[in-house]
Amino acid sequence: MLIRKYFSQFLVLLCLAAAAAAQAQNLPNVVILATGGTIAGTGATTTTTTVGYTAAKVGVDALIAAVPELKKVANVRGEQTMQIASENMNNDAWLKLAKRVNTLLAQSDVDGIVITHGTDTIEETAYFLDLVVKSKKPVVIVGAMRPSTAISADGPINLYNAVLLAGSKEAIGKGVLVTLNDQINAGREVTKTNTSTLDTFKTPELGFLGYIQGSKPFFYRQSTRKNTADTPFDIMNLDKLPQVDIVYGYANMNPIALNAFVAAGAQGIIHAGVGDGSLNNTVVPSLTEARKKGVVIVRASRVGQGIVARNGEADDDKLDFVVSDTLNAQKARILLMLALTKTTDTKEIQKMFWEY
Ligand code: DAS
């Protein structure tokens, strides 16, 4: 009697295990690469939300364990690639992260990647990866505006959304994506628009790619620019990126910072000018001198939206400058850095700003 009872319990367990294995087989395999940020942050009290917490404290396994629902949408495993607040993100970290992403995506048992990241430089890492990932599989970057210990922390639901997006067919071929707050942004255009609110990530004027609702992604548009596998930028054998710096335009500007960057060996300068990328008279001689030394100059704008028109506020043909199209200064810096790994020809570089 007792044997029959145990045997039937054993059979039930066997069926449950088989059902779980079958379900797991149907789920996508998503790897979570953790880099730090507020999503991994902790605060002294549950009401420590936008200030007073410490970023980059919680490990990737704890982040995953805090969202058991992840198992319903994907087979997930985590790697702690680094543990930093993203204001400290740098070129070496980007190369390490990008190489790991490319290595994993080349594996047939990996269907998508999620990167947990601080929000301060998500927009830069997203565009860098948008240009150097060599796969059409989804890469989704996610962060949080409140630490994991806060009331109504946004990290868990953002992570859940990011994992289901990275495992979705809809996200294939869309370029690197950023999701927070149930919204989906393109890596090329997304930018942080508010220092502390939950809805800070936007693509002003050009708009979101879509939303995540009821555990499903909904896309309404996609970027027209070439990305990921369709770019010529290959970082797998690079261990250093060219030095490119940004000078910020303002009334009563002077060339001190610009001259210092050039003297320190910058190979490229992004000039984030006022308006349509206008140049204050005080800096034109230094820019011209830098160009003569072979430094590539890109005219961007501090405004943040709109096209910086070639030969508009400056004679770019005569000065041999490049214009940034719609890229803001921090993103123009990324494209110029990668462009300089391929060429110093300003005509070639200008074409890249029209294409990526
Ligand atoms: N310091 C911020 C960062 O790591 C915290 C955050 O918002 O993620 O980017």
Side-chain angles (χ1 to χ4, degrees), residues 141-158:
I141 309 190
V142 63
M145 293 304 290
R146 293 175 182 156
S148 61
T149 46
I151 303 172
S152 308
D154 56 327
I157 185 60
N158 288 349

Side-chain angles (χ1 to χ4, degrees), residues 37-39 53 55 84-87 117-121 144-145 192:
T38 292
I39 193 168
Y53 64 84
I84 61 170
S86 79
E87 58 268 31
H117 193 291
T119 60
D120 290 356
T121 56
M145 293 304 290
K192 190 172 184 180

Side-chain angles (χ1 to χ4, degrees), residues 33-292:
L33 301 180
T35 73
T38 292
I39 193 168
T42 57
T45 73
T46 55
T47 52
T48 307
T49 52
T50 46
V51 286
Y53 64 84
T54 308
K57 301 298 280 183
V58 179
V60 65
D61 291 337
L63 292 178
I64 293 171
V67 191
E69 295 81 358
L70 293 177
K71 292 191 192 69
K72 293 182 191 154
V73 293
N75 302 315
V76 293
R77 67 176 178 82
E79 295 182 6
Q80 193 77 44
T81 311
M82 58 197 80
Q83 184 71 293
I84 61 170
S86 79
E87 58 268 31
N88 298 319
M89 192 51 77
N90 59 47
N91 290 353
D92 292 346
W94 275 345
L95 287 171
K96 177 182 177 190
L97 180 61
K99 288 172 183 174
R100 188 58 189 146
V101 168
N102 277 328
T103 302
L104 285 167
L105 289 180
Q107 294 173 202
S108 59
D109 64 344
V110 174
D111 298 307
I113 300 264
V114 166
I115 296 167
T116 60
H117 193 291
T119 60
D120 290 356
T121 56
I122 268 192
E123 65 193 78
E124 296 179 58
T125 302
Y127 189 44
F128 177 72
L129 293 175
D130 198 51
L131 295 169
V132 303
V133 164
K134 293 305 149 199
S135 169
K136 288 294 183 185
K137 293 179 184 177
V139 174
V140 179
I141 309 190
V142 63
M145 293 304 290
R146 293 175 182 156
S148 61
T149 46
I151 303 172
S152 308
D154 56 327
I157 185 60
N158 288 349
L159 182 59
Y160 174 77
N161 282 345
V163 168
L164 72 91
L165 183 60
S168 72
K169 299 238 177 310
E170 294 87 342
I172 294 171
K174 294 281 195 318
V176 171
L177 303 171
V178 173
T179 185
L180 281 87
N181 203 42
D182 300 337
Q183 294 148 344
I184 305 172
N185 282 289
R188 181 185 185 276
E189 286 106 15
V190 67
T191 189
K192 190 172 184 180
T193 63
N194 183 290
T195 57
S196 51
T197 54
L198 295 178
D199 64 344
T200 181
F201 283 100
K202 292 188 171 58
T203 301
E205 297 187 356
L206 295 175
F208 300 119
L209 298 186
Y211 305 100
I212 294 172
Q213 203 173 76
S215 300
K216 194 172 164 19
F218 295 88
F219 282 92
Y220 297 88
R221 67 177 195 85
Q222 64 186 77
S223 183
T224 58
R225 290 299 170 97
K226 287 182 183 173
N227 57 60
T228 58
D230 299 330
T231 80
F233 306 117
D234 178 0
I235 50 83
M236 295 306 276
N237 297 316
L238 285 184
D239 55 16
K240 193 171 165 50
L241 290 168
Q243 181 64 32
V244 174
D245 290 297
I246 301 173
V247 290
Y248 193 82
Y250 49 88
N252 198 40
M253 190 178 176
N254 64 64
I256 296 169
L258 168 59
N259 293 337
F261 283 135
V262 174
Q267 293 166 257
I269 292 286
I270 307 295
H271 179 279
V274 297
D276 189 7
S278 308
L279 306 173
N280 187 305
N281 287 333
T282 60
V283 296
V284 175
S286 295
L287 287 170
T288 309
E289 197 49 39
R291 184 67 203 115
K292 280 194 190 115

